Amino acid sequence: MCGTNLSLSRGWSCISASEGVGDEIMKVAIGCDHGGLNLKVSVKELLNALGHEVEDFGCHTPDSCDYPDIAVPVANAVVSGQADRGILICGTGIGIGIAANKIAGIRAALCHDTFSAHACREHNDANILVMPGRFISTEEADMILTEFFSTQFEGGRHQNRIDKIPVK
């Protein structure tokens, strides 16, 4: 059991604060543009209820904003070690993910399903989860998030492939 009525009332499965990072609470940088605001609010509530440290880089209103203004600070927080992982959400997830991947050391992966969330962690060591705010439900986001946080990087041949990615 989760030990939180928030997760149970929403039908969310349980992501313990220790999954994916030993027994430590994970530091998560989160951000969205206006197209991802509703989903971000739900994801942030879940992460907070489970004890993770969440730093919200915006946006905070439904007013139109530019996704690079959110993606770059979240990506920088992950690269600098200020955050263990990041979560970015925009309407489709495409633009905000492209912007994040311009930062050296970021491997942001757009995930619509649990298979993608699992594979991007296991094979690509993705450090930012990108989700489409207009195309998945809070329940789907929970399952994707659970898979992303609980899957460990396999290393080996996958590390060899990551090492071949040019970083400028």
Short mmCIF file of all heavy atoms in Angstrom, two decimals, residues 14-51:
data_model
loop_
_atom_site.label_atom_id
_atom_site.label_comp_id
_atom_site.label_asym_id
_atom_site.label_seq_id
_atom_site.Cartn_x
_atom_site.Cartn_y
_atom_site.Cartn_z
N CYS A 14 1.54 2.83 -6.87
CA CYS A 14 2.46 3.38 -5.88
C CYS A 14 3.87 3.50 -6.43
O CYS A 14 4.42 2.53 -6.90
CB CYS A 14 2.48 2.50 -4.65
SG CYS A 14 0.86 2.28 -3.92
N ILE A 15 4.44 4.68 -6.34
CA ILE A 15 5.85 4.89 -6.62
C ILE A 15 6.44 5.30 -5.29
O ILE A 15 6.16 6.39 -4.82
CB ILE A 15 6.10 6.05 -7.60
CG1 ILE A 15 5.22 5.98 -8.81
CG2 ILE A 15 7.57 6.11 -7.99
CD1 ILE A 15 5.28 7.25 -9.64
N SER A 16 7.21 4.43 -4.67
CA SER A 16 7.79 4.83 -3.39
C SER A 16 8.91 5.81 -3.64
O SER A 16 9.52 5.81 -4.70
CB SER A 16 8.30 3.61 -2.63
OG SER A 16 9.47 3.13 -3.23
N ALA A 17 9.20 6.62 -2.67
CA ALA A 17 10.25 7.62 -2.80
C ALA A 17 11.60 6.98 -2.99
O ALA A 17 12.54 7.62 -3.43
CB ALA A 17 10.27 8.53 -1.58
N SER A 18 11.73 5.69 -2.70
CA SER A 18 13.03 5.05 -2.81
C SER A 18 13.22 4.32 -4.14
O SER A 18 14.32 3.92 -4.45
CB SER A 18 13.23 4.07 -1.66
OG SER A 18 12.27 3.06 -1.70
N GLU A 19 12.19 4.13 -4.92
CA GLU A 19 12.34 3.40 -6.17
C GLU A 19 13.25 4.15 -7.12
O GLU A 19 13.09 5.32 -7.36
CB GLU A 19 10.98 3.18 -6.85
CG GLU A 19 10.19 2.07 -6.20
CD GLU A 19 8.94 1.75 -6.96
OE1 GLU A 19 8.91 1.89 -8.18
OE2 GLU A 19 7.97 1.35 -6.31
N GLY A 20 14.20 3.44 -7.68
CA GLY A 20 15.08 4.02 -8.66
C GLY A 20 16.30 4.71 -8.10
O GLY A 20 17.21 5.01 -8.83
N VAL A 21 16.36 4.96 -6.80
CA VAL A 21 17.51 5.65 -6.21
C VAL A 21 17.84 5.03 -4.86
O VAL A 21 18.02 5.72 -3.87
CB VAL A 21 17.24 7.16 -6.03
CG1 VAL A 21 18.54 7.89 -5.78
CG2 VAL A 21 16.55 7.76 -7.22
N GLY A 22 17.92 3.72 -4.78
CA GLY A 22 18.22 3.09 -3.50
C GLY A 22 17.20 3.48 -2.46
O GLY A 22 16.01 3.40 -2.69
N ASP A 23 17.69 3.91 -1.29
CA ASP A 23 16.78 4.31 -0.21
C ASP A 23 16.65 5.82 -0.09
O ASP A 23 16.07 6.32 0.86
CB ASP A 23 17.28 3.74 1.12
CG ASP A 23 17.16 2.23 1.14
OD1 ASP A 23 16.21 1.71 0.54
OD2 ASP A 23 18.02 1.58 1.77
N GLU A 24 17.20 6.55 -1.05
CA GLU A 24 17.18 8.01 -0.98
C GLU A 24 15.94 8.59 -1.65
O GLU A 24 15.41 8.01 -2.58
CB GLU A 24 18.42 8.58 -1.69
CG GLU A 24 19.72 8.18 -1.03
CD GLU A 24 20.91 8.70 -1.79
OE1 GLU A 24 20.81 9.80 -2.38
OE2 GLU A 24 21.93 8.01 -1.80
N ILE A 25 15.56 9.74 -1.18
CA ILE A 25 14.49 10.48 -1.83
C ILE A 25 15.07 11.11 -3.09
O ILE A 25 16.17 11.65 -3.07
CB ILE A 25 13.91 11.54 -0.89
CG1 ILE A 25 13.17 10.84 0.24
CG2 ILE A 25 13.03 12.52 -1.63
CD1 ILE A 25 12.53 11.76 1.23
N MET A 26 14.35 11.01 -4.17
CA MET A 26 14.82 11.53 -5.44
C MET A 26 14.53 13.02 -5.55
O MET A 26 13.46 13.49 -5.17
CB MET A 26 14.14 10.78 -6.59
CG MET A 26 14.71 11.10 -7.94
SD MET A 26 14.02 10.09 -9.25
CE MET A 26 14.68 8.50 -8.81
N LYS A 27 15.49 13.76 -6.07
CA LYS A 27 15.30 15.18 -6.38
C LYS A 27 14.86 15.26 -7.83
O LYS A 27 15.58 14.79 -8.72
CB LYS A 27 16.58 15.96 -6.17
CG LYS A 27 17.06 16.00 -4.74
CD LYS A 27 18.37 16.73 -4.64
CE LYS A 27 18.94 16.60 -3.25
NZ LYS A 27 20.30 17.16 -3.19
N VAL A 28 13.70 15.85 -8.06
CA VAL A 28 13.12 15.90 -9.39
C VAL A 28 12.89 17.35 -9.80
O VAL A 28 12.23 18.11 -9.09
CB VAL A 28 11.77 15.13 -9.45
CG1 VAL A 28 11.19 15.16 -10.85
CG2 VAL A 28 11.95 13.70 -8.95
N ALA A 29 13.43 17.71 -10.97
CA ALA A 29 13.15 19.01 -11.58
C ALA A 29 11.98 18.81 -12.53
O ALA A 29 11.99 17.88 -13.35
CB ALA A 29 14.36 19.52 -12.34
N ILE A 30 10.96 19.63 -12.42
CA ILE A 30 9.78 19.47 -13.26
C ILE A 30 9.43 20.80 -13.91
O ILE A 30 9.65 21.87 -13.33
CB ILE A 30 8.58 18.91 -12.44
CG1 ILE A 30 7.45 18.46 -13.36
CG2 ILE A 30 8.11 19.92 -11.40
CD1 ILE A 30 6.38 17.63 -12.65
N GLY A 31 8.91 20.73 -15.12
CA GLY A 31 8.48 21.93 -15.81
C GLY A 31 7.54 21.60 -16.95
O GLY A 31 7.49 20.47 -17.43
N CYS A 32 6.81 22.62 -17.37
CA CYS A 32 5.86 22.45 -18.47
C CYS A 32 5.62 23.79 -19.14
O CYS A 32 5.92 24.84 -18.58
CB CYS A 32 4.54 21.90 -17.95
SG CYS A 32 3.62 23.10 -16.94
N ASP A 33 5.06 23.71 -20.34
CA ASP A 33 4.49 24.92 -20.93
C ASP A 33 2.99 24.88 -20.66
O ASP A 33 2.50 23.99 -19.96
CB ASP A 33 4.86 25.06 -22.41
CG ASP A 33 4.12 24.11 -23.33
OD1 ASP A 33 3.32 23.26 -22.85
OD2 ASP A 33 4.34 24.19 -24.55
N HIS A 34 2.26 25.84 -21.22
CA HIS A 34 0.82 25.93 -20.97
C HIS A 34 0.06 24.67 -21.38
O HIS A 34 -0.93 24.32 -20.77
CB HIS A 34 0.25 27.16 -21.68
CG HIS A 34 0.57 27.20 -23.13
ND1 HIS A 34 1.82 27.59 -23.60
CD2 HIS A 34 -0.16 26.87 -24.22
CE1 HIS A 34 1.83 27.51 -24.93
NE2 HIS A 34 0.65 27.08 -25.32
N GLY A 35 0.56 23.95 -22.38
CA GLY A 35 -0.11 22.73 -22.85
C GLY A 35 0.05 21.55 -21.91
O GLY A 35 -0.65 20.55 -22.04
N GLY A 36 0.97 21.64 -20.97
CA GLY A 36 1.20 20.55 -20.05
C GLY A 36 0.88 20.87 -18.61
O GLY A 36 1.12 20.07 -17.71
N LEU A 37 0.31 22.07 -18.37
CA LEU A 37 0.09 22.53 -17.00
C LEU A 37 -0.80 21.58 -16.19
O LEU A 37 -0.44 21.24 -15.05
CB LEU A 37 -0.52 23.93 -17.00
CG LEU A 37 -0.77 24.55 -15.63
CD1 LEU A 37 0.53 24.67 -14.83
CD2 LEU A 37 -1.44 25.91 -15.78
N ASN A 38 -1.93 21.17 -16.71
CA ASN A 38 -2.83 20.32 -15.93
C ASN A 38 -2.18 19.00 -15.53
O ASN A 38 -2.29 18.56 -14.39
CB ASN A 38 -4.13 20.06 -16.70
CG ASN A 38 -4.98 21.30 -16.83
OD1 ASN A 38 -4.87 22.23 -16.04
ND2 ASN A 38 -5.82 21.33 -17.85
N LEU A 39 -1.48 18.37 -16.47
CA LEU A 39 -0.82 17.11 -16.15
C LEU A 39 0.32 17.34 -15.16
O LEU A 39 0.52 16.55 -14.24
CB LEU A 39 -0.31 16.43 -17.43
CG LEU A 39 0.28 15.03 -17.23
CD1 LEU A 39 -0.74 14.08 -16.63
CD2 LEU A 39 0.79 14.50 -18.55
N LYS A 40 1.07 18.42 -15.32
CA LYS A 40 2.17 18.71 -14.40
C LYS A 40 1.66 18.85 -12.97
O LYS A 40 2.28 18.34 -12.03
CB LYS A 40 2.92 19.97 -14.78
CG LYS A 40 4.13 20.24 -13.86
CD LYS A 40 4.69 21.62 -13.99
CE LYS A 40 3.80 22.61 -13.26
NZ LYS A 40 4.40 23.93 -13.12
N VAL A 41 0.55 19.53 -12.79
CA VAL A 41 -0.01 19.71 -11.45
C VAL A 41 -0.29 18.35 -10.81
O VAL A 41 0.06 18.11 -9.66
CB VAL A 41 -1.28 20.60 -11.50
CG1 VAL A 41 -2.02 20.57 -10.17
CG2 VAL A 41 -0.90 22.03 -11.88
N SER A 42 -0.88 17.43 -11.57
CA SER A 42 -1.18 16.10 -11.05
C SER A 42 0.08 15.31 -10.74
O SER A 42 0.19 14.68 -9.69
CB SER A 42 -2.04 15.32 -12.04
OG SER A 42 -3.30 15.91 -12.16
N VAL A 43 1.05 15.34 -11.65
CA VAL A 43 2.30 14.61 -11.45
C VAL A 43 3.04 15.16 -10.24
O VAL A 43 3.56 14.41 -9.41
CB VAL A 43 3.17 14.67 -12.73
CG1 VAL A 43 4.59 14.20 -12.47
CG2 VAL A 43 2.52 13.86 -13.85
N LYS A 44 3.08 16.47 -10.12
CA LYS A 44 3.76 17.12 -8.99
C LYS A 44 3.11 16.74 -7.67
O LYS A 44 3.80 16.46 -6.68
CB LYS A 44 3.76 18.63 -9.19
CG LYS A 44 4.55 19.38 -8.17
CD LYS A 44 4.54 20.87 -8.49
CE LYS A 44 5.04 21.68 -7.33
NZ LYS A 44 4.94 23.12 -7.57
N GLU A 45 1.78 16.71 -7.62
CA GLU A 45 1.07 16.31 -6.40
C GLU A 45 1.46 14.90 -5.98
O GLU A 45 1.69 14.63 -4.80
CB GLU A 45 -0.44 16.39 -6.60
CG GLU A 45 -1.00 17.79 -6.61
CD GLU A 45 -2.49 17.82 -6.89
OE1 GLU A 45 -3.14 16.74 -6.92
OE2 GLU A 45 -3.03 18.92 -7.09
N LEU A 46 1.53 14.00 -6.94
CA LEU A 46 1.89 12.61 -6.65
C LEU A 46 3.32 12.53 -6.12
O LEU A 46 3.58 11.90 -5.10
CB LEU A 46 1.74 11.73 -7.88
CG LEU A 46 2.20 10.28 -7.71
CD1 LEU A 46 1.38 9.57 -6.64
CD2 LEU A 46 2.12 9.54 -9.03
N LEU A 47 4.24 13.17 -6.80
CA LEU A 47 5.64 13.14 -6.37
C LEU A 47 5.81 13.71 -4.96
O LEU A 47 6.52 13.14 -4.13
CB LEU A 47 6.52 13.91 -7.36
CG LEU A 47 6.68 13.27 -8.74
CD1 LEU A 47 7.35 14.25 -9.70
CD2 LEU A 47 7.43 11.96 -8.67
N ASN A 48 5.15 14.83 -4.69
CA ASN A 48 5.21 15.43 -3.36
C ASN A 48 4.61 14.51 -2.29
O ASN A 48 5.17 14.35 -1.21
CB ASN A 48 4.50 16.79 -3.33
CG ASN A 48 5.34 17.89 -3.94
OD1 ASN A 48 6.55 17.91 -3.83
ND2 ASN A 48 4.67 18.82 -4.60
N ALA A 49 3.47 13.90 -2.60
CA ALA A 49 2.81 13.01 -1.65
C ALA A 49 3.66 11.80 -1.32
O ALA A 49 3.59 11.27 -0.21
CB ALA A 49 1.45 12.56 -2.20
N LEU A 50 4.52 11.40 -2.24
CA LEU A 50 5.37 10.23 -2.03
C LEU A 50 6.72 10.59 -1.44
O LEU A 50 7.57 9.72 -1.25
CB LEU A 50 5.53 9.47 -3.34
CG LEU A 50 4.22 8.88 -3.87
CD1 LEU A 50 4.41 8.33 -5.27
CD2 LEU A 50 3.70 7.80 -2.94
N GLY A 51 6.92 11.87 -1.14
CA GLY A 51 8.11 12.28 -0.42
C GLY A 51 9.29 12.71 -1.26
O GLY A 51 10.35 13.00 -0.73
#
